[in-house]
Amino acid sequence: MQTLDHLFENNKAWAGRIRQQEPDFFVKLSRQQSPGYLWIGCADSRVPANEIVGLSPGELFVHRNVANIVVHTDLNCLSVMQFAVDILKVRHIIVCGHYGCSGVGAALRRDRLGLSDNWLRHVQDVRQKHEVAVARARSDSEAANRLCELNVIEQVANVCQTTIALDAWERGQELVVHGWIYGLKDGLLRDLNVTVASVEGTVPAYQAAIAALD
Ligand code: CO
């Protein structure tokens, strides 16, 4: 079977349901989007951004990659951030990791997966930076959970250090960066309390969040 008819059927049913609730939903949405949030999350199929936070199309701007990494030279992620902050004027950037992340697990075990090893090298850097905290874990799963949390906190710091966030704060634009983690087992989000709303707030929030993990 080369066509994915069932997905087109699902789509028709989905669009129909929405039109039933709000007949001009798509017409209104086609004119403009005004999301309040940018979500930077893992590409994992079990972590669907909009659904987790109960937001409709138009309300959440989304960038996802393996292990929710924000790399200083990743033009893809940076372009999404710049468009979201400068053009759409989102007020919040949410970096959301998740427990049970395969990418983080592979980085922890130093598995060889292929090309993505090079991408996950960034998570290995996080592990190396926090070697003591990761080694303190009493089990492999606790170490993996800890690295998932540390990875989110580090990526929040990376967001705060981009020219996009720095320029927004410099010109007095309201922008708050958050670090959250999602539990696959209970479907719940947990705030890692690394909330940053200014340049000066970055280091204290980062240090407090790291200290709170101990
Ligand atoms: Co993941």
Side-chain angles (χ1 to χ4, degrees):
M1 193 184 73
Q2 292 186 11
T3 55
L4 297 170
D5 293 338
H6 58 298
L7 297 186
F8 280 90
E9 278 160 31
N10 286 354
N11 167 254
K12 235 188 249 170
W14 170 78
R17 275 197 306 274
I18 292 187
R19 271 197 307 268
Q20 214 165 21
Q21 290 160 7
E22 200 183 327
D24 56 351
F25 179 85
F26 291 110
V27 179
K28 269 201 306 201
L29 203 59
S30 66
R31 293 201 193 110
Q32 76 166 82
Q33 61 167 338
S34 56
Y37 323 87
L38 165 61
W39 175 280
I40 300 176
C42 184
D44 194 303
S45 63
R46 299 165 294 180
V47 194
N50 281 67
E51 282 178 72
I52 288 174
V53 285
L55 291 178
S56 301
E59 297 181 317
L60 190 67
F61 205 62
V62 174
H63 177 78
R64 291 168 68 181
N65 61 41
V66 175
N68 44 270
I69 303 172
V70 177
V71 180
H72 297 309
T73 51
D74 177 7
L75 285 180
N76 184 351
C77 182
L78 291 174
S79 299
V80 170
M81 276 182 59
Q82 195 255 322
F83 193 84
V85 173
D86 292 0
I87 313 296
L88 299 173
K89 308 273 192 267
V90 301
R91 296 222 169 129
H92 300 272
I93 297 179
I94 300 154
V95 176
C96 187
H98 67 102
Y99 293 117
C101 182
S102 315
V104 171
L108 184 65
R109 294 184 302 269
R110 296 192 175 92
D111 289 347
R112 290 302 304 272
L113 305 175
L115 175 71
S116 51
D117 299 344
N118 300 286
W119 180 253
L120 292 171
R121 178 65 232 178
H122 293 290
V123 183
Q124 289 193 24
D125 289 345
V126 174
R127 181 220 166 116
Q128 236 165 293
K129 188 171 173 185
H130 300 281
E131 191 76 62
V132 178
V134 175
R136 220 183 289 132
R138 283 157 295 185
S139 65
D140 289 350
S141 69
E142 197 180 302
N145 288 347
R146 180 53 52 92
L147 189 55
C148 288
E149 294 163 348
L150 287 164
N151 183 47
V152 170
I153 296 167
E154 288 294 335
Q155 305 317 321
V156 166
N158 287 347
V159 169
C160 296
Q161 284 153 359
T162 59
T163 54
I164 297 139
L166 294 175
D167 290 351
W169 285 327
E170 173 79 30
R171 63 179 176 257
Q173 185 176 333
E174 189 191 332
L175 181 68
V176 187
V177 186
H178 309 259
W180 297 352
I181 192 153
Y182 174 76
L184 293 176
K185 289 182 181 164
D186 58 10
L188 295 176
L189 286 168
R190 183 172 154 234
D191 194 342
L192 289 171
N193 293 316
V194 57
T195 308
V196 184
S198 66
V199 182
E200 306 75 40
T202 307
V203 172
Y206 171 87
Q207 287 174 340
I210 296 286
L213 294 182
D214 289 331

